[in-house]
């Protein structure tokens, strides 16, 4: 216990030292319970979302399906008073399947989940200059993973994105879909010493382009890189910390162009972000776990020229979860509360922004030998 406390203190220091966007981070309940510090664990089929190399040692066929319920309360205080963001937080589902042949080194997997989403409506706050900003990016991943030996696995995969956007400002409305955005990723899971695991993932971004009648919208999804390390204590406790870098600065704008003229200006002043996650898992009996976690999400929005289309601030995320075998399956449940630091913005959308979010994630998984 003393060693665990020392490690937690060290990780907490790292989190506070590294102080977004619209990524949907909760891709499974097992990972959500440890605030998504999961890239060095990746122990079920949802590894395809966190670190695909993790499927290398899941024998037979592994499947996982789940749902994430999100509840949000955000508002802005401006000279005219307080206005609420009436955009409702969406509910998402995920499904993953992985296949590892018996005595084989090559494995494969496929998964589907919404990866990015935003739903903001500030019409009451800024009148005709700001309105509805709804964006959903569904993500399908396909992976091949090779186990070099019993301690090291590497993977390569492709990403297919389907994007739907609804944007409006005053009387200007745009609704479009892009079904042909593609990217790729590489992953690694290494167990250099007994009780230690190291995970690494790099995922490229993708260019999104859609048009409707004489209007068009084009932007880029960000690159991401994750590095993770986990350590087991007495085969009962597992402590992991992850650091994820997201290149939000490539998303320069989300301007809608009509007949060659910008009809909906959405210039963005985003910065690259770091998210630092730490999670603790207690396996109190075989195939039964309790989990807790903390993460610090650095917001992509700057105070200057803040755009409420992407209304995120620096956030503190705490998580609690657990799981176990039931009815011949493995079930996991997690709860998260995210407290976002209030941001005083300047520019066209000046005001004091406040945001809170709660999430409930449920996953069912099974393994067929």
């Amino acid at each position: 216990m003393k060693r665990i406390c020392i490690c937690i203190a060290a990780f907490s220091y790292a989190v506070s030292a590294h102080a977004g966007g619209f990524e949907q981070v909760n891709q499974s309940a097992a990972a959500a319970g440890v605030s998504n510090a999961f890239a060095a664990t990746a122990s079920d089929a949802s590894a395809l979302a966190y670190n695909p190399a993790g499927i290398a040692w899941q024998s037979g066929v592994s499947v996982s399906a789940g749902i994430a319920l999100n509840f949000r309360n955000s508002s802005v205080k401006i000279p005219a008073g307080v206005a609420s963001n009436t955009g409702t937080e969406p509910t998402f589902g995920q499904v993953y399947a992985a296949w590892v042949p018996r005595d084989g080194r090559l494995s494969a997997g496929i998964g589907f989940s919404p990866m990015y989403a935003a739903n903001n409506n500030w019409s009451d706050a800024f009148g005709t200059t700001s309105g509805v900003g709804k964006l959903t990016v569904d993500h399908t991943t396909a992976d091949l993973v090779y186990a070099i030996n019993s301690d090291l696995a590497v993977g390569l995969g492709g990403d297919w994105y389907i994007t739907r956007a609804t944007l409006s400002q005053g009387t200007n409305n745009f609704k479009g879909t892009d079904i042909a955005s593609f990217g790729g990723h590489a992953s690694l899971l290494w167990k250099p010493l007994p009780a230690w695991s190291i995970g690494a993932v790099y995922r490229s971004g993708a260019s999104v382009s859609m048009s409707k009648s004489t209007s068009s919208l084009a932007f880029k999804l960000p690159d991401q890189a994750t590095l993770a390390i986990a350590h087991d204590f007495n085969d009962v406790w597992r402590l992991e910390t992850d650091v994820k870098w997201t290149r939000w600065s490539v998303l320069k704008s989300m301007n809608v162009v009509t007949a060659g003229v910008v009809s909906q200006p959405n210039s963005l002043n985003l910065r690259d972000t770091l998210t630092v996650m730490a999670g603790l898992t207690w396996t109190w009996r075989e195939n039964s776990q309790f989990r807790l976690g903390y993460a610090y999400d650095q917001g992509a929005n700057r105070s200057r020229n803040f755009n409420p289309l992407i209304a995120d601030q620096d956030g503190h995320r705490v998580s609690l979860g657990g799981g176990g075998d039931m009815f011949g399956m493995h079930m996991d449940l997690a709860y998260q509360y995210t407290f976002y630091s209030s941001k005083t913005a300047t520019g066209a959308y000046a005001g004091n922004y406040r945001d809170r979010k709660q999430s409930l994630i449920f996953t069912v998984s099974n393994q067929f030998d």
Side-chain angles (χ1 to χ4, degrees):
M1 285 299 298
K2 182 178 179 180
R3 295 168 66 192
I4 293 173
C5 292
I6 292 172
C7 288
I8 290 174
F11 291 143
S12 298
Y13 176 80
V15 168
S16 64
H18 291 279
F22 50 93
E23 181 186 4
Q24 296 300 303
V25 295
N26 295 320
Q27 300 292 320
S28 79
V34 287
S35 289
N36 300 297
F38 201 64
T41 299
S43 55
D44 58 28
S46 69
L48 293 162
Y50 294 94
N51 184 353
I55 69 173
W57 299 293
Q58 300 175 28
S59 62
V61 176
S62 300
V63 294
S64 176
I67 189 170
L69 307 175
N70 300 303
F71 309 92
R72 185 179 178 189
N73 179 17
S74 59
S75 61
V76 59
K77 184 177 181 181
I78 53 178
V82 177
S84 296
N85 180 358
T86 59
T88 57
E89 196 73 10
T91 296
F92 294 122
Q94 313 93 19
V95 60
Y96 312 98
W99 174 56
V100 182
R102 187 181 298 274
D103 300 323
R105 293 195 174 193
L106 189 65
S107 53
I110 188 168
F112 170 83
S113 63
M115 190 170 183
Y116 299 100
N119 188 10
N120 297 299
N121 186 353
W122 298 97
S123 297
D124 293 340
F126 302 104
T128 60
T129 61
S130 182
V132 175
K134 185 174 183 178
L135 179 73
T136 302
V137 183
D138 293 330
H139 171 234
T140 298
T141 179
D143 290 87
L144 288 176
V145 176
Y146 183 73
I148 296 174
N149 52 46
S150 60
D151 299 319
L152 177 63
V154 295
L156 289 174
D159 300 293
W160 174 27
Y161 301 98
I162 298 177
T163 305
R164 298 181 298 278
T166 301
L167 303 177
S168 68
Q169 291 181 5
T171 59
N172 295 312
N173 300 291
F174 174 83
K175 188 174 184 179
T177 302
D178 179 4
I179 62 171
S181 298
F182 300 96
H185 57 271
S187 58
L188 174 148
L189 188 58
W190 179 34
K191 302 175 183 178
L193 295 169
W196 287 93
S197 298
I198 295 174
V201 183
Y202 173 78
R203 192 181 302 275
S204 71
S207 296
V208 175
S209 180
M210 60 187 74
S211 60
K212 186 72 171 181
S213 185
T214 60
S215 298
S216 63
L217 171 66
F219 59 91
K220 289 186 177 181
L221 297 174
D223 304 334
Q224 286 188 335
T226 301
L227 183 63
I229 185 169
H231 182 56
D232 295 326
F233 299 87
N234 303 321
D235 297 322
V236 174
W237 300 91
R238 183 175 183 86
L239 185 63
E240 177 171 342
T241 186
D242 295 21
V243 178
K244 179 170 67 178
W245 168 80
T246 306
R247 192 184 177 196
W248 286 109
S249 59
V250 300
L251 186 56
K252 302 295 185 183
S253 69
M254 294 183 69
N255 295 334
V256 176
V257 178
T258 303
V261 178
V262 176
S263 57
Q264 291 190 47
N266 284 303
S267 296
L268 301 173
N269 185 35
L270 304 183
R271 60 181 177 180
D272 298 342
T273 62
L274 284 177
T275 299
V276 183
M277 301 153 274
L280 181 66
T281 301
W282 173 37
T283 302
W284 62 285
R285 67 179 186 182
E286 186 177 5
N287 296 324
S288 298
Q289 299 85 25
F290 285 116
R291 306 179 181 96
L292 58 90
Y294 169 80
Y296 185 86
D297 288 316
Q298 190 177 39
N301 250 319
R302 303 176 191 266
S303 297
R304 183 180 179 184
N305 297 327
F306 182 96
N307 192 313
L309 180 68
I310 300 177
D312 79 314
Q313 293 85 251
D314 296 346
H316 303 269
R317 186 169 71 243
V318 292
S319 306
L320 182 67
D325 291 346
M326 250 180 268
F327 309 113
M329 298 175 290
H330 188 83
M331 300 185 183
D332 292 289
L333 182 67
Y335 168 79
Q336 286 187 350
Y337 180 81
T338 306
F339 169 85
Y340 296 92
S341 303
S342 296
K343 180 180 287 291
T344 301
T346 60
Y349 304 108
N352 185 263
Y353 291 81
R354 178 186 181 276
D355 208 348
R356 305 288 185 272
K357 183 176 178 180
Q358 298 182 74
S359 299
L360 188 66
I361 308 95
F362 176 70
T363 302
V364 177
S365 56
N366 207 349
Q367 191 165 335
F368 306 90
D369 293 327

